[in-house]
Amino acid sequence: MQKILDLLKEIPDPEIPVIDIVELGIVRAVDQLDDSSFEITITPTYSACPAMFTIEEDIIKKFKEHGFSAKVITKISPVWTTDWLTDEARQKLLDYGIVPPE
């Protein structure tokens, strides 16, 4: 499963490319369906986030490049919160010039 998480960590947030979608906290679950198929659950940072379509396409493309298939599920509940940002993401945001919430 670590290989799958590493693939997801290669996908940057389209709006703030210095952090990846795992660090951002939008990847909520990874479920293995069979040897090469996975279901990835993501939560948008806000309900009408237009980047979610790009993120879904990026996940599917990344998995296909590595011989896997991915089904992406978007869940809006529970609502994303900045508490889901990793410490690494907070530092990267700060280095990028965005002060993350405490």
Side-chain angles (χ1 to χ4, degrees):
M1 194 62 74
Q2 186 60 48
K3 180 177 180 168
I4 299 306
L5 284 174
D6 290 343
L7 287 178
L8 291 166
K9 288 178 182 180
E10 292 178 13
I11 301 170
D13 175 60
E15 296 172 324
I16 307 172
V18 297
I19 59 176
D20 65 62
I21 62 173
V22 175
E23 293 171 321
L24 184 57
I26 65 169
V27 174
R28 303 308 306 151
V30 177
D31 296 304
Q32 188 165 3
L33 304 176
D34 59 38
D35 288 343
S36 63
S37 300
F38 295 85
E39 184 175 272
I40 312 300
T41 303
I42 57 177
T43 296
T45 55
Y46 63 97
S47 61
C49 179
M52 295 310 288
F53 297 110
T54 301
I55 292 169
E56 181 176 344
E57 290 172 354
D58 290 348
I59 291 170
I60 292 168
K61 180 181 175 187
K62 177 67 70 178
F63 275 56
K64 185 180 263 189
E65 288 171 356
H66 292 271
F68 299 111
S69 65
K71 177 181 179 185
V72 180
I73 305 293
T74 300
K75 288 193 174 183
I76 59 172
S77 179
V79 176
W80 181 87
T81 170
T82 56
D83 292 341
W84 295 357
L85 288 165
T86 66
D87 290 338
E88 294 82 8
R90 290 177 189 281
Q91 185 59 52
K92 287 179 182 180
L93 288 172
L94 194 56
D95 294 345
Y96 191 64
I98 298 173
V99 178
E102 292 294 323

